[in-house]
Amino acid sequence: MLNQIFNKIDYGQELSKKDLACLLALENQGDLDVLYDKADKVRQKYVGDEVHLRGLIEFSNYCRKNCNYCGIRRGNSKIKRYRMAIEEILDTVSVAEELGYRTVVLQSGEDMSYTVDKLAELIKRIKQQVDVAITLSIGERPREEYERLYEAGADRFLLRFETSSRELYRWLHPDSSYDERMEILTWLKEIGYQVGSGVMIGLPGQTVEGLAQDILKFKELDLDMVGVGPYICHEETPLAGHASGNVEMTFKVIALTRIVIPYAHIPATTALATLRPADGREKALQLGANVVMPNVTPAKYRALYELYPSKVCVQEEAAQCHGCMYGRIYSLGRPISQDYGHSFRRISQ
Ligand code: SAM
Ligand code: SF4
């Protein structure tokens, strides 16, 4: 059975939900090594050896939502909130450019104090002053606002659907709807954004069948980017006491995502590095991932963007993260991309 599935991968045949669930249940290290090796070869064939760097700017930790897993949810009154001023964001984007990053990711809670006018103005000024691609990760907004931000110059949008299980989605998101989330992903694509989505691994109640369905959903949505990271328990949330996600399961989902949608950009996530600081990112890059997102948020804010505890790199300045990341990538013998790192899926079509 396992050999038949491995053969399907070798011949580029579609994997069924059952095949994926079978691979996700693998525990034997020898079998896993075979799977990871296949994923690494697919990565090399379709997206090459280059690693793309995206400078991450966490510009506000205010959020109107109350997602049950997230440390910056509205209901967490124990964290100090911050917002970066527009000029401060612009300065940080310049720092990212000086470090050589050709993409910045502007991420925040759902903070509506950044009106569409303010954000559009910010995007226009970035595009006038700095030579970078812009990815937004700012949550749910009306369709017209996504249109305005795209017209202003935003290139990409990240919006994870977190899980494709409707029941689990409903339980985790007291103030969001699964159907609306999916509808927004469709809008983003229609508008012209390069679209990223993804899931957390190890959410309470998640099953291997559920994860197999998540991977098929990535394909159905025809995503340009897929972010897969472990869920990490935050004690100031309703999920306090639940175990965090499993690193090996995260590796398996990354590897299978690479195999199922070979052209996608797949990051080695910060959450993965948090659970496995020594080599979590490096291993991910060797079994399917091709993107890393060094943090360029000013050091004084980093610890406050606490989605989960013990997040890596909160003490470092942007330049230190940069040096560390370059060292880690070069140690794998992988080159660092010098271009914007736009979607391969579009280039390949
Ligand atoms: N507010 C926007 C949104 O939800 O799309 C963007 C920022 S949100 C903090 C970015 C991602 O952080 C979420 O999509 C979620 O997957 C991840 N995240 C939140 N809490 C987490 C946790 N406890 N462990 C791991 N990842 C988490
Ligand atoms: Fe807000 Fe995003 Fe956290 Fe949900 S995941 S509470 S929308 S920051």
Side-chain angles (χ1 to χ4, degrees):
M1 167 84 174
L2 183 57
N3 278 339
Q4 277 172 356
I5 305 178
F6 280 155
N7 279 340
K8 277 190 176 181
I9 296 176
D10 292 341
Y11 289 107
Q13 291 170 358
E14 279 198 9
L15 298 179
S16 66
K17 183 171 168 186
K18 206 168 149 213
D19 296 334
L20 291 169
C22 171
L23 294 171
L24 288 168
L26 288 180
E27 285 186 352
N28 177 289
Q29 195 55 50
D31 294 337
L32 287 173
D33 288 343
V34 174
L35 175 67
Y36 296 158
D37 187 53
K38 290 188 189 303
D40 198 42
K41 292 211 166 76
V42 173
R43 187 268 309 153
Q44 192 173 38
K45 176 172 171 195
Y46 287 87
V47 301
D49 280 337
E50 286 191 337
V51 176
H52 299 267
L53 301 182
R54 324 288 202 199
L56 176 65
I57 304 174
E58 298 153 337
F59 66 91
S60 163
N61 70 351
Y62 279 86
C63 189
R64 63 175 175 168
K65 290 243 168 100
N66 239 343
C67 307
N68 282 340
Y69 42 79
C70 179
I72 64 169
R73 65 200 296 276
R74 181 183 76 231
N76 184 3
S77 55
K78 298 221 172 130
I79 52 164
K80 193 173 151 215
R81 305 277 171 174
Y82 72 91
R83 285 188 176 109
M84 286 173 64
I86 295 294
E87 294 301 326
E88 208 178 5
I89 301 175
L90 265 168
D91 289 346
T92 310
V93 173
S94 297
V95 170
E97 189 205 27
E98 279 158 25
L99 290 170
Y101 305 146
R102 307 298 303 280
T103 292
V104 288
V105 180
L106 302 180
Q107 189 178 88
S108 67
E110 286 198 14
D111 183 353
M112 308 312 272
S113 79
Y114 294 87
T115 59
V116 68
D117 289 338
K118 269 194 198 171
L119 288 173
E121 183 61 22
L122 169 66
I123 290 165
K124 279 186 196 151
R125 287 181 66 193
I126 293 175
K127 287 284 175 157
Q128 280 159 6
Q129 296 173 23
V130 196
D131 183 21
V132 288
I134 300 175
T135 303
L136 298 176
S137 172
I138 56 172
E140 300 186 8
R141 300 241 168 182
R143 179 171 177 138
E144 305 73 62
E145 298 204 6
Y146 294 128
E147 286 168 353
R148 284 272 315 280
L149 300 176
Y150 183 74
E151 282 155 20
D155 301 275
R156 311 183 191 132
F157 205 102
L158 301 180
L159 189 77
R160 289 183 177 179
F161 60 80
E162 319 292 0
T163 171
S164 63
S165 154
R166 272 169 191 283
E167 301 72 50
L168 191 53
Y169 190 92
R170 197 175 318 119
W171 181 61
L172 293 171
H173 302 97
D175 40 20
S176 298
S177 127
Y178 178 81
D179 288 331
E180 278 171 24
R181 195 77 166 181
M182 289 300 167
E183 185 178 31
I184 293 173
L185 287 168
T186 317
W187 291 345
L188 293 168
K189 200 156 172 237
E190 285 168 3
I191 293 169
Y193 285 98
Q194 297 167 47
V195 180
S197 191
V199 298
M200 277 178 283
I201 310 299
L203 291 165
Q206 203 173 42
T207 60
V208 284
E209 287 75 22
L211 285 170
Q213 184 179 291
D214 292 347
I215 296 169
L216 292 176
K217 196 78 185 170
F218 299 152
K219 188 176 161 82
E220 184 189 320
L221 291 169
D222 198 15
L223 296 170
D224 299 286
M225 306 165 278
V226 182
V228 170
Y231 154 69
I232 303 177
C233 182
H234 191 300
E235 288 304 318
E236 295 300 330
T237 66
L239 298 190
H242 281 279
S244 294
N246 175 281
V247 168
E248 197 69 58
M249 186 59 84
T250 308
F251 288 151
K252 287 187 238 182
V253 176
I254 291 175
L256 290 173
T257 301
R258 171 59 66 207
I259 289 165
V260 171
I261 36 173
Y263 283 114
H265 280 303
I266 303 180
T269 59
T270 308
L272 184 58
T274 296
L275 288 191
R276 191 149 155 174
D279 64 352
R281 288 198 193 96
E282 287 86 338
K283 273 216 82 179
L285 288 170
Q286 291 173 297
L287 49 79
N290 70 323
V291 171
V292 179
M293 294 166 68
N295 201 328
V296 283
T297 310
K300 63 180 172 186
Y301 299 126
R302 286 193 190 193
L304 303 177
Y305 199 80
E306 195 193 59
L307 309 180
Y308 43 80
S310 310
K311 199 167 138 194
V312 284
C313 313
V314 288
Q315 302 303 334
E316 284 79 3
E317 283 290 351
Q320 288 168 293
C321 277
H322 174 78
C324 166
M325 216 63 98
Y326 266 61
R328 285 171 187 265
I329 296 166
Y330 284 135
S331 76
L332 302 175
R334 298 269 288 277
I336 291 173
S337 168
Q338 305 298 322
D339 70 22
Y340 299 109
H342 285 312
S343 170
F344 281 112
R345 202 179 53 74
R346 300 191 180 203
I347 298 165
S348 66
Q349 283 175 349

